[in-house]
Amino acid sequence: MYAATTRRALMETALRMFVDSGYLAVAAEDLVRAAGLSRGALYHHFGGKQGLFQAVFEEQEELAVLRIRNAMAARTDPWRQALTGMETFLDVCAERDYREIVLLQGPIALGWRRWRELDQRHLGGLLTAGTKALVDAGLIQEHPAEMIAAAIYGGLTELSLIMAEADDPATARRDAGRLARNLLTGLAPNPHPDDERP
């Protein structure tokens, strides 16, 4: 119980401090002092500041995947599920904690390669499964599901990074949603540019 409480205190403190100040500006000593714990506790549970950041990062990804899955589960057909999944993902990306930890601080703290590896580990399976459902239902052109998923992942990733750095986040979110929908519609066997299916 004590170990779990200590771990939770460090993660909650780290989330707040990394979001408010950024990974590079937060020292390990500041983290443990703010959490009311020892430096030894940080190294015992996470191996250091970077390990703690990765734990916070992965928790944000897990929460995002859960939210996307739940939103998609409320839809009954693959097309609506896919659109709902994309919209929910972009909504998550627009929120401060995810934006700061995953999109802005993640590549800095973890390095680009590790950031991409972890991001794909959490979101890749969900995206591939959704893409395969669309192909199997004949709703998009028949290409290898993994390749379509990679193309969509790349597009959504770049859109999310543009949103994260936008001067006008609300406009960027709206524009990203419209473009993501158009990209998916463009993969349909007989695409209809004015398709407004929710």
Side-chain angles (χ1 to χ4, degrees):
M1 178 67 77
Y2 175 75
T5 301
T6 299
R7 183 180 176 87
R8 189 72 246 157
L10 282 166
M11 288 186 66
E12 289 179 358
T13 300
L15 173 63
R16 184 179 73 250
M17 294 182 74
F18 289 142
V19 167
D20 290 344
S21 303
Y23 177 79
L24 296 178
V26 177
E29 292 80 1
D30 298 331
L31 280 167
V32 296
R33 188 183 307 114
L37 295 166
S38 69
R39 192 180 178 93
L42 169 63
Y43 283 90
H44 173 72
H45 288 284
F46 300 102
K49 185 178 91 165
Q50 187 182 56
L52 175 55
F53 180 89
Q54 181 172 317
V56 172
F57 176 97
E58 293 207 66
E59 183 173 68
Q60 288 297 309
E61 291 277 46
E62 289 163 5
L63 291 171
V65 169
L66 179 62
R67 184 165 157 192
I68 293 166
R69 283 189 190 280
N70 288 341
M72 292 175 69
R75 299 294 187 175
T76 57
D77 69 88
W79 183 262
R80 290 170 187 263
Q81 285 179 344
L83 291 178
T84 298
M86 288 195 313
E87 291 290 344
T88 305
F89 170 74
L90 293 172
D91 284 343
V92 170
C93 291
E95 294 173 0
R96 188 172 185 235
D97 286 355
Y98 189 92
R99 182 182 71 241
E100 290 294 329
I101 296 297
V102 176
L103 301 175
L104 297 178
Q105 301 302 320
I108 295 169
L110 302 171
W112 183 260
R113 184 183 298 272
R114 181 63 172 157
W115 175 82
R116 187 171 181 271
E117 175 190 334
L118 291 174
D119 191 54
Q120 286 188 320
R121 179 189 301 172
H122 289 282
L123 294 167
L126 182 61
L127 189 53
T128 300
T131 302
K132 188 175 185 304
L134 290 172
V135 172
D136 290 346
L139 295 172
I140 58 176
Q141 298 168 39
E142 196 168 339
H143 299 287
E146 294 78 8
M147 293 186 71
I148 298 175
I152 295 173
Y153 170 82
L156 288 175
T157 298
E158 291 303 317
L159 287 174
S160 70
L161 293 173
I162 290 171
M163 284 170 51
E165 297 176 350
D167 293 331
D168 184 349
T171 298
R173 166 63 187 90
R174 186 185 66 243
D175 291 345
R178 185 184 305 119
L179 179 53
R181 176 189 289 266
N182 287 345
L183 289 173
L184 185 62
T185 301
L187 288 168
N190 298 296
H192 302 288
D194 297 325
D195 189 356
E196 293 297 328
R197 285 180 289 181

